[in-house]
Amino acid sequence: MVEVSLNIHGVKMTAERFPRLGEGRVRVEYGDTLGVYFPVKGVGEINGVREFFSTPVEFAEKVFEGFEGDVKKILIANFLALVKYALGLEDDVIALVKLGDRIVAYLYGTKVQEIRVRKVGGSVFEVHAGGGLVGRLKVYKKKRGVAVECEGEEEFVEAVRDLEYYYAKSIDVSPERFVFDAARAYLLSSVRKSCATSLR
């Protein structure tokens, strides 16, 4: 068994991952609260009371009900990242949290990077990271999908093109959602790359 623990805002969260994939569980401890979630069974236990939860988010909402606002969002995102790790779906614990016009990346419970989306006017958006401009986009909604003009860092432009293809048949994607999804994809790939580099 492999264990990974995070401490965020006074909450200790531990993912337990077993050799047989899909057997993991995540523990949540703070104050008088002790919660354990078994993702495969969809079962959670909070202070000894066992319940069925249809999604991990449902369990997280309940176990963190004493928190609110951004802190609650951050806790839930990191909990979900631990669930993926416990199940063997991810090899690193990476959480991305949307806070207003920013997306903040956490790696093993520590804030590592953030990216900001600015609407410059009409259908024009700018994406900034680490103080610099990552990309500038013009996004038009089409009958299906979106049309995008994009310039910026090569990796960002790549993320935008992949997403444009992914949403090609979608009828309900707004320009704002598209830009945030592109920023999220770029940020995730950037954090993953930094993990791979630090392992070398």
Side-chain angles (χ1 to χ4, degrees), residues 7-58:
N7 278 293
I8 309 171
H9 295 294
V11 177
K12 183 181 180 188
M13 292 188 251
T14 308
E16 296 175 1
R17 182 170 174 169
F18 295 89
R20 277 180 57 187
L21 290 183
E23 280 191 1
R25 61 185 174 191
V26 181
R27 283 200 317 272
V28 175
E29 300 161 77
Y30 65 92
D32 299 329
T33 301
L34 172 62
V36 186
Y37 181 66
F38 303 88
V40 176
K41 297 174 182 157
V43 170
E45 204 173 272
I46 300 173
N47 292 343
V49 179
R50 193 168 262 233
E51 266 184 79
F52 176 77
F53 292 91
S54 54
T55 64
V57 175
E58 206 181 301

Side-chain angles (χ1 to χ4, degrees), residues 1-3 15-19 21 24 85-91:
M1 183 193 77
V2 183
E3 251 191 29
E16 296 175 1
R17 182 170 174 169
F18 295 89
L21 290 183
Y85 179 84
L87 289 171
L89 299 174
E90 289 283 353
D91 286 329

Side-chain angles (χ1 to χ4, degrees), residues 144-146 158-173 177-178 181-182 185:
R144 285 186 180 276
V146 287
E158 239 169 68
V160 167
R161 294 298 166 226
D162 287 348
L163 209 56
E164 196 177 0
Y165 178 76
Y166 175 75
Y167 278 132
K169 292 186 170 64
S170 175
I171 50 172
D172 61 352
V173 58
R177 180 178 163 192
F178 180 87
D181 281 357

